[in-house]
Amino acid sequence: MTDQIHFDDGASYERYMGVWSQRVGVEFLRWLAPVPGRRWLDVGCGNGAFTELLVSQCAPSALHGIDPSVAQLDFARARPALRDADLREGDAMALPYPHNSVDAAVMPLVIFFVPDPAAGVAEMARVVAPGGLVAAYAWDMYGGGLPYHVLQREMRALGVVVPSPPSPEASRREIMHDLWRGAALVEVETRELTVERRFASFDEYWDILAGWATFGRMLDAMAPETIARLQDRLRECLPADADGSITYAARANAVKGRVSPRDAFTS
C-alpha cells in the first residue's frame, strides 16, 4: 500500500511488530466484547498476528483475511490456528467479498497504510451485515504512540529520512470518528489503548530493529559513525533497568461502530 514501507517477511514482522500487535489486539478485543459464532474479516491481516487472536478470543464461525503481501500471507497460512481461515491477496479499498457477507470487519494497524482511508472504511461497511461491527486500531502517529517513535525521532534528529505511511492522519481519534460517521456507521466510539513490551537488553531491541528489512536497508545506507551515534542516543532515551532490560510503552487509538440495521447493502 506504500512504496516506502514494506512488510514482506512474516518472521521478521513477528518480532518487529507482531508482538506489539497482539498485545494491543488483546486490549482491543476486550473493548469490542465480541459475541462467539460470528463471521469475521481481518482487513490487512499481514502475517496473521492479530488474526490468530480472533480464533482464540472470538470463536468465529468463519474467518477471512486479506492482505497485499503474498509473503505475509504465506506466513499466516502456516499458523496452526489459521488452517481453516480463508486468507486472500487483495486491496483494502476493493474487498473481494459480497455485500453483507460478514458480521464483523476489523482493520488492525492498517488504516494509515490505506491511500484512501475513507474508501477502506466504506468497503468494510459494505461487506458487513446490518447491525454488524466495523472497527480498527492504529498507533497514534501524531501523539508519539508508535512503538518505535523514539527510534524515528532520533533518526530524524541525525538527518536521516524516515519513511512514513501514506495516511498518518487517519491514526487520530477525531479523524477515525469522522471516517466512521462518514461511512454512515452508527454507535461510533473511540478510545485509547496503551500497552508495554519488555526487551531483555538493548542488544535484543536493536537486533529486532535490524531484522526488519526496511530498517535494515536504511542501516545499509547510513555511515558507521551515524549508526553508532544513533545507538548512543537510543541508549540514553531508553534507559535500562538494573537487570539490563528495557520496558517501553506504545499507544494506539481505536474506533468501533455498527452498520445501521436499516442499511442493508444490495448488489
Side-chain angles (χ1 to χ4, degrees):
M1 295 177 181
T2 170
D3 294 332
Q4 293 182 302
I5 302 174
H6 297 280
F7 297 110
D8 49 12
D9 183 330
S12 67
Y13 179 87
E14 185 75 358
R15 300 183 69 215
Y16 173 78
M17 189 60 73
V19 174
W20 284 108
S21 179
Q22 289 192 334
R23 296 207 173 173
V24 71
V26 168
E27 298 302 315
F28 175 66
L29 290 174
R30 184 176 292 122
W31 179 52
L32 296 185
V35 176
R38 297 297 190 259
R39 301 165 296 171
W40 285 80
L41 168 62
D42 184 352
V43 180
C45 63
N47 78 342
F50 176 81
T51 325
E52 194 172 58
L53 286 179
L54 292 176
V55 176
S56 63
Q57 306 281 323
C58 304
S61 61
L63 180 57
H64 307 272
I66 187 168
D67 198 86
S69 169
V70 174
Q72 289 276 70
L73 288 169
D74 286 344
F75 189 94
R77 293 184 182 111
R79 293 178 183 268
L82 302 183
R83 62 182 178 274
D84 296 324
D86 168 35
L87 305 178
R88 307 185 193 179
E89 181 184 1
D91 186 343
M93 297 180 294
L95 296 174
Y97 306 100
H99 299 72
N100 313 321
S101 58
V102 298
D103 302 304
V106 290
M107 188 181 278
L109 303 182
V110 169
I111 195 165
F112 38 43
F113 286 110
V114 180
D116 185 348
V121 179
E123 274 292 271
M124 288 196 290
R126 176 185 67 80
V127 303
V128 171
L133 177 71
V134 177
Y137 64 88
W139 301 122
D140 184 356
M141 301 290 287
Y142 286 92
L146 185 72
Y148 302 106
H149 166 73
V150 172
L151 168 71
Q152 292 191 356
R153 184 192 68 199
E154 296 306 315
M155 291 177 70
R156 291 189 181 100
L158 292 172
V160 178
V161 176
V162 178
S164 62
S167 306
E169 69 284 351
S171 70
R172 293 180 181 270
R173 284 177 69 178
E174 63 272 22
I175 298 297
M176 287 180 162
H177 182 275
D178 291 346
L179 286 169
W180 259 241
R181 293 296 296 161
L185 295 164
V186 299
E187 300 177 27
V188 178
E189 298 179 41
T190 64
R191 73 166 296 176
E192 183 180 285
L193 304 169
T194 300
V195 292
E196 289 186 347
R197 181 176 178 183
R198 178 182 175 276
F199 299 89
S201 65
F202 179 84
D203 288 342
E204 181 189 45
Y205 171 81
W206 184 261
D207 287 346
I208 288 172
L209 295 178
W212 179 41
T214 297
F215 185 64
R217 288 191 291 269
M218 296 176 71
L219 288 177
D220 290 341
M222 293 166 61
E225 56 270 24
T226 303
I227 295 174
R229 287 177 63 197
L230 175 61
Q231 290 177 320
D232 289 342
R233 293 180 73 131
L234 288 174
R235 284 191 174 95
E236 291 178 6
C237 296
L238 302 172
D241 294 333
D243 62 357
S245 66
I246 296 170
T247 301
Y248 190 74
R251 185 177 61 259
N253 291 323
V255 60
K256 64 180 177 180
R258 293 193 176 275
V259 175
S260 171
R262 299 185 299 272
D263 294 341
F265 283 89
T266 57
S267 301

